[in-house]
């Protein structure tokens, strides 16, 4: 199977090797067509965003206004902070020029003159690698004003890296824009959507690193070629990041729709000690977890995962064997969302903290039956009541982990049901007047 | 203590202005440079950045407190960051965390008395496939074990 995003070519990250292998020809091909044609091809290719929402990339581009005096912007989202996902750093390291070429084509399609590649601050090494690639591309005239001469076109655009500083929320597109504007990374209320009102109030498109890296190959080989790879409703290859209890964790680029069991057992080498699988989170820590006995026959694409009650997310597959303490896992996941909640919306700010407290109570063997329902109730009250999707990201793991592993969690809480005192005043009176006194 | 950017750093910040239509987006980079020069982000650094970017210093402070990579107090020469999120946890992240805490005798966000080490429990750093991991200042160390981390700490002590 041909690799699209991470081809196995030696030194492909070097500009000379990339050009030798036909690099930057797709950009030339794109600039010879109209921008509408490019958007149309990407739409028909069926390429869906790889950042979590799996939204049609071409459709997203088509929301950008055609007639406007305002400058337009492209943001390439490399904030990559979802626990379990580590694919973008691989692209920065192994295939930065295809990412740059994809950025050029996208800028051309949406009419942007400037693209910002937002990279999380912890990725110092990968920021340097990416900056080197961008500098090389500038030098060879593939980016910036030099493009006019290199490609023989009137169009040119600049690419800049914006370094984050450690905030999960900035991977959310509107938070990313606020962060880029030099503000606290709070999300924005939608509508207005970024295509109307994005960076500095101008039309903006935000795409994931992996999404953009697919673009040159779609233009080069045609949308029909791309649409025929993997599952028709979610075509192309996906970078599956396998982590946790597997023998060979890592990134595997495979066609969408590859069986989850195939990825775990064949590519990632199975579970150490041939243990049974207790739980798999298929798309990064915010996606609903699956029971070990649910994963047989599950295909890894957006639609197939939806059918089994989960989602593709960022395709970060976390595998947990039968000896894993799921309460600890869920408590840790919730601790993460509590830590990363930006604090703007009350349900998320408070709810994530409550869920963490209750889970730690269960972890310390002090939980009760009622705590399980309490957790689900908190999760339900967060979901849908927040400005951005961090609310859902925090609520889903809790709700689905507890409902799908109810028996497991019930084992971990006290059997007796806590009886709540209906009339607090009355109960206090009883303490004030000891029972003996009254009965006398 | 008064803080002024060095001429060289001022130049670096000015280079950043070219990237954006406004000055404010440079705040993140300016704070990084300020932290690098001063060792941490003091109120004076905040004031200087605010002056330079024509922002209210409260807003600069807001940015500083929002992001985890800005430190408002001096950290150790080697800032040890240990990931304990799920993928690392499943492969021994907490054993490493507990062990390092014990070896250095400090808790989360504390600094050793000799100011050589500081410790931080960090969220997912994107090393899930090479877990468990630690980062020392800007460098990642991956595929670790308790023993390997001890070796790293030891070699850092030696080089100091």
């Amino acid at each position: 199977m041909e690799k699209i995003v991470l081809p196995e070519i030696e030194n492909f990250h070097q500009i000379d090797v990339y050009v030798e292998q036909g690099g930057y020809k797709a950009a030339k091909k794109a600039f010879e067509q109209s921008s509408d044609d490019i958007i149309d091809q990407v739409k028909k290719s069926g390429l869906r965003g790889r950042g979590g929402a799996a939204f049609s990339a071409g459709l997203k581009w088509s929301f950008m206004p055609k007639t406007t005096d305002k400058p337009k912007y492209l943001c390439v989202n490399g904030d990559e902070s979802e626990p379990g996902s580590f694919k973008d750093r691989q692209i920065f390291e192994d295939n930065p020029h295809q990412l740059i070429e994809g950025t050029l084509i996208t800028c051309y399609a949406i009419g942007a003159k400037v693209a910002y590649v937002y990279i999380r601050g912890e990725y110092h090494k990968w920021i340097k690698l990416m900056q080197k690639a961008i500098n090389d591309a500038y030098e060879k005239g593939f980016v910036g004003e030099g493009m006019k001469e290199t490609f023989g076109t009137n169009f040119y655009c600049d690419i800049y890296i914006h370094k984050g500083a450690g905030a999960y929320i900035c991977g959310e597109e509107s938070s990313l824009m606020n962060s880029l504007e030099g503000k606290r990374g709070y999300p924005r209320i939608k509508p207005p959507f970024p295509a109307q009102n994005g960076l500095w109030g101008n039309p903006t498109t935000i795409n994931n690193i992996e999404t953009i890296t697919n673009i040159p190959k779609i233009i080069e080989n045609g949308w029909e070629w791309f649409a025929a790879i993997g599952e028709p409703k979610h075509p192309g290859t996906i970078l599956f990041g396998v982590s946790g209890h597997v023998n060979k964790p890592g990134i595997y680029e495979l066609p969408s729709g590859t069986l989850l069991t195939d990825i775990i057992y064949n590519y990632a080498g199975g579970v150490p000690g041939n243990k049974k699988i207790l739980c798999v989170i298929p798309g990064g820590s915010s996606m609903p977890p699956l029971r070990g006995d649910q994963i047989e026959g599950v295909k890894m694409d957006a639609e197939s995962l939806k059918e089994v009650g989960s989602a593709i997310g960022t395709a970060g597959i976390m595998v947990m064997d039968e000896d894993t303490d799921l309460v600890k896992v869920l408590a840790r996941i919730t601790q993460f969302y509590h830590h990363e909640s930006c604090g703007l919306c009350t349900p998320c700010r408070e709810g994530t903290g409550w869920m963490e407290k209750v889970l730690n109570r269960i972890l310390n063997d002090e939980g009760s039956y009622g705590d399980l329902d309490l957790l689900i109730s908190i999760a339900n009250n967060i979901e849908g009541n927040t400005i951005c999707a961090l609310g859902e990201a925090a609520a889903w793991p809790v709700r689905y982990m507890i409902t799908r592993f109810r028996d497991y969690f019930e084992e971990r809480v006290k059997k007796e049901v806590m009886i709540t005192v209906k009339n607090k005043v009355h109960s206090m009176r009883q303490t004030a007047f000891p029972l003996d006194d009254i009965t006398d | 203590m008064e803080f002024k950017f060095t001429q060289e750093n001022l130049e670096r910040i000015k280079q950043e202005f070219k990237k954006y239509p406004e000055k404010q987006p440079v705040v993140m980079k300016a704070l990084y440079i300020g932290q690098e020069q001063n060792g941490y982000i003091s109120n004076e650094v905040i004031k200087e950045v605010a002056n330079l970017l024509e922002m209210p210093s409260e807003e600069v402070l807001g940015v500083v407190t929002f992001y985890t990579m800005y430190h408002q107090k001096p950290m150790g020469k080697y800032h040890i960051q240990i990931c304990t999120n799920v993928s690392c946890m499943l492969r021994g992240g907490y054993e490493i965390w507990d062990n390092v805490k014990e070896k250095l005798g400090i808790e989360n966000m504390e600094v050793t008395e000799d100011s050589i080490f500081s410790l931080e429990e960090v969220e997912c750093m994107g090393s899930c496939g090479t877990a468990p991991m630690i980062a020392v200042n800007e460098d990642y160390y991956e595929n670790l074990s308790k023993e390997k981390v001890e070796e790293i700490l030891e070699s850092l002590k030696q080089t100091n």
Side-chain angles (χ1 to χ4, degrees):
Chain A
M1 161 71 218
E2 194 196 344
K3 305 267 198 280
I4 300 171
V5 178
L6 296 173
E8 286 152 346
I9 300 166
E10 216 180 319
N11 292 327
F12 201 54
H13 65 283
Q14 293 172 4
I15 192 161
D16 294 335
V17 178
Y18 184 73
V19 172
E20 204 181 281
Q21 296 286 337
Y24 290 107
K25 282 200 179 131
K28 187 160 173 58
K29 190 176 170 188
F31 300 152
E32 282 160 3
Q33 305 170 53
S34 77
S35 55
D36 284 344
D37 279 349
I38 302 296
I39 295 178
D40 198 45
Q41 286 168 41
V42 174
K43 230 191 252 180
K44 283 184 185 153
S45 77
L47 173 68
R48 294 170 68 168
R50 301 288 195 252
F55 190 77
S56 159
L59 198 57
K60 198 183 222 181
W61 293 1
S62 69
F63 296 153
M64 290 290 272
K66 300 271 177 265
T67 48
T68 173
D69 301 334
K70 290 178 172 176
K72 298 183 207 171
Y73 293 99
L74 171 68
C75 294
V76 193
N77 187 346
D79 191 52
E80 184 158 80
S81 311
E82 173 88 352
S85 48
F86 47 102
K87 61 192 178 66
D88 296 345
R89 63 179 257 190
Q90 217 64 43
I91 297 173
F92 297 135
E93 190 161 338
D94 297 333
N95 199 3
H97 286 289
Q98 196 171 314
L99 168 60
I100 295 171
E101 190 175 4
T103 306
L104 300 178
I105 298 170
T106 311
C107 279
Y108 177 71
I110 63 172
K113 297 283 278 231
V114 176
Y116 295 105
V117 183
Y118 189 105
I119 307 180
R120 66 178 298 182
E122 292 88 345
Y123 277 4
H124 306 278
K125 176 184 159 187
W126 294 275
I127 289 171
K128 280 180 196 147
L129 292 172
M130 192 62 205
Q131 190 62 58
K132 161 94 172 67
I134 292 175
N135 293 349
D136 288 348
Y138 264 101
E139 210 170 283
K140 300 256 174 185
F142 291 125
V143 184
E145 283 210 68
M147 287 169 71
K148 287 188 192 169
E149 206 187 307
T150 319
F151 296 109
T153 140
N154 280 328
F155 171 80
Y156 75 93
C157 65
D158 286 304
I159 302 177
Y160 303 118
I161 291 178
H162 188 91
K163 184 180 179 179
Y168 168 75
I169 187 74
C170 292
E172 198 278 337
E173 58 178 18
S174 63
S175 304
L176 184 146
M177 291 190 295
N178 273 344
S179 177
L180 221 153
E181 289 181 9
K183 300 171 185 158
R184 289 168 76 85
Y186 286 138
R188 299 176 183 175
I189 293 171
K190 293 181 234 178
F193 289 94
Q196 270 73 47
N197 195 333
L199 274 178
W200 303 288
N202 300 313
T204 305
T205 291
I206 300 109
N207 283 132
N208 182 262
I209 298 281
E210 187 186 342
T211 314
I212 296 280
T213 311
N214 273 295
I215 303 291
K217 290 288 169 192
I218 293 173
I219 302 301
E220 190 184 318
N221 299 332
W223 62 267
E224 298 93 338
W225 164 83
F226 189 84
I229 300 168
E231 279 295 301
K233 283 185 175 168
H234 189 183
T237 60
I238 296 177
L239 299 185
F240 294 106
V242 194
S243 66
H245 294 142
V246 287
N247 283 312
K248 289 190 290 176
I251 296 284
Y252 298 93
E253 181 176 0
L254 298 165
S256 65
T258 303
L259 286 175
L260 178 55
T261 45
D262 206 20
I263 298 173
I264 296 172
Y265 289 106
N266 293 342
Y267 293 96
V271 182
N274 277 328
K275 287 184 188 170
K276 276 191 208 154
I277 293 176
L278 178 63
C279 173
V280 177
I281 303 179
S285 71
S286 60
M287 295 299 143
L290 297 172
R291 289 178 71 107
D293 55 17
Q294 273 185 306
I295 62 172
E296 203 61 50
V298 170
K299 288 200 273 184
M300 289 296 287
D301 63 89
E303 300 304 319
S304 309
L305 277 169
K306 209 189 274 173
E307 273 169 35
V308 293
S310 191
I312 187 80
T314 52
I317 302 167
M318 298 158 120
V319 181
M320 295 161 226
D321 71 21
E322 53 189 327
D323 295 331
T324 311
D325 184 347
L326 278 189
V327 180
K328 205 170 163 191
V329 169
L330 189 57
R332 187 64 188 82
I333 290 176
T334 307
Q335 182 193 330
F336 171 76
Y337 290 108
H338 181 211
H339 181 259
E340 298 299 337
S341 172
C342 74
L344 190 59
C345 314
T346 313
C348 171
R349 181 186 65 234
E350 304 298 326
T352 49
W354 296 347
M355 292 196 299
E356 190 192 345
K357 268 188 206 162
V358 177
L359 280 160
N360 281 330
R361 190 155 74 206
I362 300 174
L363 200 56
N364 294 331
D365 293 328
E366 289 163 0
S368 68
Y369 256 43
D371 282 344
L372 300 180
D373 296 325
L374 176 62
L375 281 168
I376 291 174
S377 153
I378 301 172
N380 288 344
N381 279 303
I382 299 175
E383 189 183 345
N385 293 323
T386 54
I387 289 173
C388 83
L390 197 142
E392 280 76 26
W396 284 359
V398 171
R399 166 140 42 90
Y400 288 101
M401 189 77 99
I402 291 174
T403 43
R404 284 182 187 159
F405 293 88
R406 184 83 195 191
D407 44 352
Y408 184 97
F409 277 83
E410 285 187 0
E411 292 266 308
R412 294 289 292 271
V413 292
K414 288 199 186 94
K415 297 286 171 281
E416 66 266 29
V417 179
M418 212 165 54
I419 299 165
T420 47
V421 181
K422 276 188 186 150
N423 188 336
K424 195 121 190 253
V425 179
H426 180 70
S427 75
M428 279 167 77
R429 258 192 217 139
Q430 283 202 345
T431 4
F433 304 95
L435 210 60
D436 291 345
D437 297 351
I438 301 170
T439 45
D440 277 345
Chain B
M1 219 166 46
E2 212 192 328
F3 175 83
K4 285 269 171 240
F5 280 110
T6 61
Q7 204 51 45
E8 193 196 340
N9 282 342
L10 219 47
E11 206 47 52
R12 280 166 72 193
I13 293 170
K14 276 186 191 148
Q15 285 298 321
E16 289 291 308
F17 286 144
K18 293 180 189 162
K19 290 168 40 173
Y20 310 96
E22 290 176 4
K23 281 184 171 175
Q24 186 166 341
V26 179
V27 66
M28 289 175 77
K29 183 75 179 188
L31 285 170
Y32 270 126
I33 295 173
Q35 179 162 276
E36 185 188 305
Q37 188 184 318
N38 192 54
Y40 69 104
I41 296 187
S42 62
N43 289 343
E44 287 72 23
V45 174
I46 290 174
K47 264 181 215 148
E48 177 67 2
V49 170
N51 276 339
L52 207 61
L53 305 182
E54 293 155 25
M55 282 168 75
S57 46
E58 294 79 2
E59 226 169 291
V60 178
L61 175 67
V63 172
V64 172
T65 55
F66 192 84
Y67 300 93
T68 54
M69 289 172 69
Y70 298 126
H71 300 300
Q72 285 182 279
K73 62 173 195 179
M75 287 288 140
K77 182 177 172 192
Y78 301 113
H79 185 54
I80 315 279
Q81 302 141 72
I82 302 176
C83 172
T84 57
N85 209 305
V86 179
S87 295
C88 279
M89 178 180 119
L90 293 173
R91 298 180 81 91
Y94 272 106
E95 282 78 53
I96 291 176
W97 168 248
D98 290 335
N99 193 43
V100 173
K101 265 202 312 192
E102 197 195 308
K103 290 267 169 228
L104 298 179
I106 48 174
E107 291 292 318
N108 191 23
M109 293 315 277
E110 288 182 355
V111 188
T112 53
E113 267 178 33
D114 54 10
S115 303
I116 293 179
F117 292 106
S118 51
L119 187 59
E120 183 178 4
E121 181 183 11
V122 289
E123 294 299 350
C124 186
M125 301 274 273
S127 290
C128 316
T130 40
M133 70 84 70
I134 70 166
V136 179
N137 298 340
E138 296 189 352
D139 300 317
Y140 278 35
Y141 295 81
E142 301 174 305
N143 289 314
L144 297 175
S145 60
K146 220 165 86 176
E147 293 72 31
K148 279 190 202 163
V149 174
E150 282 178 15
E151 275 170 38
I152 294 166
L153 290 184
E154 205 48 49
S155 74
L156 289 174
K157 264 186 209 159
Q158 299 292 328
T159 48
N160 187 60

